[in-house]
Amino acid sequence: MLMPFIARYGDLYTNENVAISGTHTHAGPGGYLQYLLYSVTTLGFVQQSFDAIVNAIEQSIVRAHQNLKPGTIFMNKGDVENAGINRSPSAYQQNPEEERGRYDSDVDKEMTLLKFVDGGSGRSIGAFSWHATHGTSMSKNNKLISGDNKGAAARSFEDWFTSNAKANSTIAYSSKTPDIGKLIAKAQAIKSTGGQPCDRTTSQSFKVRKNSDSLFVGAFCQSNVGDVTPNVLGAFCSDTGQPCDFNRSSCHGDETLCLGRGPGYPDEILSTKIIGERQFSKAVDLFTSAKEILSGKIDYRQVYLNFTDIEVELGGNQVVTTCPAALGPGFAAGTTDGPGVFGFQQGDTEINKLWKQMRDVLKEPSPYQVECQKPKPVLLSTGEMDFPYAWAPAVLPIQILRLGQLVILSVPGEFTTMAGRRLREAVKETLVSDGRGGFNSNTHVVIAGLTNTYSQYIATFEEYGHLRYEASSTLYGPHTLSAYIQEFRKLSSAMAKGEIIGSDLSPPDLSPKQLKLVLDPLGESPLPHGINFGDLKQDVSQPRNGSFTKGDTVSATFFSGNPRNVLFTEGTFAVVEKLLQEGRRWVPVYDDDDLCLYFKWSLDYNFTTFSNLATIEWEVPEEASSGVYRLRHFGSAKKYQNATLEYFTGSSSAFTVA
């Protein structure tokens, strides 16, 4: 991953001091992880998804390096209210009563925020925060790409900062009440442009929020999120509306009927906005009031470990081991955020005969594995499955980063609430008790979840025995958390003492073995006679009263190409443009990164041909000002698989918003 930087920057950026952390969403493209289990639903590895992510990470590091300058980092902490609840409270209650009594809630509400300030100008340039809530406001029924509630929070934060910073330099519109009749007449006089050729840079220049204009980066990172759901209204049976079974999260024995409800229920996009808004609001509060300056040493430690056979020393001279990766039946049951396969429930202690037979066709677990994973029944022994290549990881990285009094624990999975608390406490106790390294009671420890790779869940020993989804997805057996705590203690001790720690292990490179069953775009089918790419199939339907109002949905459909031809990673497929009052220039005001604008791609089948269609939908937001608008689409197409790409654009007829 970091090889290009070794060539470019020498040993400045390495696996040891760079952490790559995911925010978590069920609404993103898949196929970029190398282990087979995580690419089954995408028909194998998808090179395009992988390249898009890697290139974006690379460009982020390059641009950050190019903008390095002296500065100050402030830290602040505070609770985010009603952004997450525990989706497995019955498992949480298995933890010791005395331990649970030390906390006010069965989820961690605290957000830790860093505020970055340019040392020369004194201008704030970014903020980075950690808070534990799943990125599952969007359900598995959603087919649109979304950064979920973390992405919504980030966009809101960056827009908030930019609007404040540019308050005196934005385009000034007349404060007079517009003449709606004149606006309607002007809109009716402006027709659609039809499909027109354009170059690739055009779509990038029309991005509302250009990289070159970005004044601020607001990042919302994940923490010990394992059992925390943003569906804060609770889980209910879809057939009766009654609460689901407390222990099993099912309805009359059917887990597929048990669904979590977000605060905007039944509108999951509204739920996404609300949970994002709650995180954003707390981040702004912490950002504007941050006073504690991070100072002191910058340090890091990282090591690769084979988690399938770690010997763990427990109290009383007891030694246990971790296991090869395996999943239990609770994994197949899914969660209230996304129910799984009918016939499984969270908490299942047995696997029926039919599923065992199907399991054994893939791989019958070894007697050692069955015994090691107890009390979890083994549904899939992924750690023993290596055909056509490894199904699950064995070698994992763990990492500690230090910024003065802040210590960041990079973990390759999803710790439950109590598992995260135990890890944080163990690391802090180790650092402080050593008496070296400048660590003290003011040291603050955060968990950066889903970092550097992915290995599913980490539940406590007590939660593991309850066999809900999180426990059934704890790969390396009942002592997985104890292994993490033991090995992080070793890293912490080495950091406190100033010692170097390392290993000869490294994860395998499975790229030569990857299954790649998703085909590249084959080229577009011939369009109907007289139709060009970018032409309208369905124009905006003008409202009866002549104007749209806030809350209305405006839509248009274009003849288009496959969006996988070119991803427009730093550009856009769709914008809403507004006509300036002098009537001479269109300016983009919303793009497909905004939660109010939707870009939808579909295939329109005919008897002998098919056409790619792009539909743009705009939900007119509350902050939209009155005026003349239009929808504009950017795309690319090729007439056959190896043909030269053609870039095009098209626009709807103008319409008014009053």
Side-chain angles (χ1 to χ4, degrees):
M1 177 69 200
L2 293 174
M3 289 303 293
F5 301 109
I6 295 175
R8 189 177 307 191
Y9 303 120
D11 61 356
L12 185 59
Y13 302 113
T14 68
N15 290 328
E16 286 72 30
N17 61 18
V18 173
I20 300 171
S21 191
T23 61
H24 192 301
T25 173
H26 288 188
Y32 52 85
L33 294 173
Q34 67 170 348
Y35 297 101
L36 184 60
L37 180 66
Y38 309 133
S39 60
V40 168
T41 57
T42 57
L43 300 180
F45 185 77
V46 181
Q47 190 71 46
Q48 188 178 42
S49 296
F50 178 82
D51 289 343
I53 294 172
V54 171
N55 291 338
I57 292 171
E58 178 184 4
Q59 287 303 309
S60 297
I61 295 175
V62 169
R63 290 171 184 169
H65 179 86
Q66 292 171 344
N67 287 280
L68 281 173
K69 60 186 68 176
T72 303
I73 305 176
F74 296 85
M75 181 174 69
N76 205 357
K77 297 169 285 185
D79 286 352
V80 183
E81 295 298 336
N82 205 23
I85 62 172
N86 198 304
R87 70 184 183 191
S88 290
S90 63
Y92 179 88
Q93 290 179 7
Q94 304 305 306
N95 295 304
E97 182 178 0
E98 180 181 359
E99 182 181 33
R100 289 185 280 116
R102 294 163 47 201
Y103 303 99
D104 295 331
S105 174
D106 58 3
V107 297
D108 283 340
K109 298 181 180 181
E110 186 174 77
M111 173 182 283
T112 299
L113 179 135
L114 303 183
K115 175 181 179 179
F116 297 86
V117 178
D118 185 336
S121 66
R123 182 177 68 86
S124 298
I125 59 174
F128 203 108
S129 62
W130 292 267
H131 173 69
T133 191
H134 254 96
T136 50
S137 293
M138 304 288 283
S139 76
K140 67 178 184 180
N141 296 322
N142 165 66
K143 298 297 187 292
L144 301 177
I145 295 172
S146 169
D148 213 276
N149 57 65
K150 296 285 184 181
R155 180 66 195 251
S156 295
F157 202 176
E158 293 172 6
D159 286 350
W160 169 84
F161 184 89
T162 300
S163 63
N164 281 276
K166 289 188 171 183
N168 297 319
S169 60
T170 53
I171 298 172
Y173 295 100
S174 172
S175 59
K176 297 179 181 179
T177 302
D179 187 320
I180 300 302
K182 289 183 178 180
L183 288 179
I184 293 174
K186 182 180 290 187
Q188 290 174 342
I190 302 172
K191 302 302 181 182
S192 63
T193 62
Q196 297 178 349
C198 71
D199 58 46
R200 182 175 182 176
T201 58
T202 304
S203 63
Q204 294 178 352
S205 65
F206 270 74
K207 191 76 171 174
V208 172
R209 191 177 53 162
K210 305 182 186 72
N211 287 317
S212 59
D213 294 337
S214 295
L215 301 174
F216 184 86
V217 175
F220 287 76
C221 189
Q222 200 54 271
S223 192
N224 52 319
V225 68
D227 51 2
V228 186
T229 173
N231 295 314
V232 294
L233 298 185
F236 297 86
C237 298
S238 59
D239 57 345
T240 65
Q242 296 299 308
C244 305
D245 179 84
F246 181 72
N247 288 304
R248 311 271 275 176
S249 291
S250 62
C251 304
H252 347 294
D254 186 350
E255 86 293 340
T256 64
L257 299 176
C258 179
L259 300 170
R261 295 180 180 179
Y265 175 82
D267 186 340
E268 63 186 32
I269 295 176
L270 178 59
S271 293
T272 302
K273 295 176 181 178
I274 293 172
I275 297 298
E277 178 76 18
R278 289 171 183 173
Q279 294 175 82
F280 151 68
S281 296
K282 175 52 66 173
V284 169
D285 177 51
L286 297 175
F287 178 82
T288 54
S289 61
K291 295 180 180 178
E292 181 181 356
I293 297 176
L294 292 184
S295 61
K297 191 174 183 180
I298 295 176
D299 204 357
Y300 51 86
R301 295 291 186 279
Q302 188 258 5
V303 65
Y304 285 104
L305 300 166
N306 188 335
F307 260 79
T308 65
D309 61 355
I310 295 176
E311 290 190 348
V312 183
E313 297 181 8
L314 303 178
N317 297 320
Q318 182 184 6
V319 178
V320 295
T321 62
T322 55
C323 318
L327 295 165
F331 163 77
T335 73
T336 56
D337 295 339
V341 180
F342 177 77
F344 291 95
Q345 294 183 66
Q346 297 191 66
D348 278 348
T349 59
E350 299 289 339
I351 305 170
N352 70 44
K353 185 176 181 180
L354 174 63
W355 284 110
K356 280 186 177 181
Q357 291 174 342
M358 295 178 65
R359 172 201 68 184
D360 292 348
V361 170
L362 294 171
K363 173 67 179 180
E364 182 179 0
S366 67
Y368 171 81
Q369 176 77 307
V370 171
E371 186 66 28
C372 187
Q373 291 281 346
K374 283 183 177 179
K376 178 175 75 183
V378 178
L379 176 65
L380 285 175
S381 187
T382 53
E384 297 181 315
M385 299 166 71
D386 56 8
F387 179 81
Y389 50 91
W391 281 56
V395 177
L396 302 176
I398 63 171
Q399 181 186 45
I400 299 180
L401 305 174
R402 178 186 183 183
L403 297 174
Q405 65 268 36
L406 175 66
V407 174
I408 304 165
L409 309 182
S410 300
V411 298
E414 303 179 60
F415 278 62
T416 64
T417 298
M418 193 63 83
R421 289 168 175 170
R422 291 183 188 178
L423 178 62
R424 290 196 305 262
E425 290 178 359
V427 167
K428 183 171 182 177
E429 189 275 331
T430 301
L431 292 171
V432 174
S433 65
D434 184 87
R436 288 174 283 185
F439 298 102
N440 53 46
S441 59
N442 194 41
T443 299
H444 184 64
V445 181
V446 297
I447 289 176
L450 302 104
T451 299
N452 296 329
T453 192
Y454 183 63
S455 59
Q456 297 180 249
Y457 284 73
I458 301 91
T460 68
F461 180 82
E462 295 83 358
E463 292 164 352
Y464 188 92
H466 200 54
L467 299 178
R468 283 180 60 90
Y469 177 84
E470 295 80 16
S472 293
S473 303
T474 296
L475 295 182
Y476 307 105
H479 305 292
T480 300
L481 174 60
S482 296
Y484 271 102
I485 291 174
Q486 172 182 282
E487 299 306 317
F488 264 105
R489 280 188 180 275
K490 292 178 183 178
L491 274 189
S492 305
S493 179
M495 178 173 281
K497 296 174 182 178
E499 298 175 349
I500 302 299
I501 187 171
S503 70
D504 296 328
L505 287 175
S506 62
D509 178 7
L510 301 178
S511 54
K513 302 179 180 180
Q514 298 282 6
L515 291 178
K516 301 177 182 179
L517 303 181
V518 175
L519 300 176
D520 291 334
L522 300 176
E524 273 60 60
S525 176
L527 293 173
H529 179 71
I531 298 295
N532 297 315
F533 291 111
D535 282 352
L536 283 159
K537 179 178 176 62
Q538 179 65 54
D539 201 357
V540 170
S541 297
Q542 300 290 348
R544 290 182 179 180
N545 63 357
S547 290
F548 291 97
T549 59
K550 296 169 184 180
D552 287 344
T553 298
V554 188
S555 68
T557 300
F558 300 82
F559 288 97
S560 188
N562 191 321
R564 288 186 61 222
N565 290 328
V566 177
L567 299 181
F568 291 151
T569 306
E570 296 188 77
T572 185
F573 289 104
V575 293
V576 177
E577 296 178 328
K578 184 175 184 180
L579 187 67
L580 294 189
Q581 284 210 340
E582 68 270 19
R584 298 177 181 175
R585 183 161 63 97
W586 291 97
V587 294
V589 287
Y590 299 96
D591 61 39
D592 56 14
D593 190 41
D594 287 285
L595 284 173
C596 62
L597 187 63
Y598 306 87
F599 172 74
K600 300 179 178 180
W601 173 73
S602 62
L603 287 175
D604 182 33
Y605 288 93
N606 204 332
F607 291 106
T608 58
T609 63
F610 64 87
S611 298
N612 292 300
L613 299 179
T615 298
I616 299 174
E617 296 178 1
W618 181 43
E619 291 183 358
V620 183
E622 286 295 320
E623 68 272 13
S625 57
S626 297
V628 178
Y629 293 84
R630 70 178 181 181
L631 306 178
R632 191 168 180 189
H633 168 48
F634 295 94
S636 64
K638 52 185 178 180
K639 295 179 179 178
Y640 50 89
Q641 186 170 16
N642 297 318
T644 302
L645 276 168
E646 303 174 12
Y647 294 88
F648 61 86
T649 183
S651 68
S652 72
S653 296
F655 56 89
T656 59
V657 170

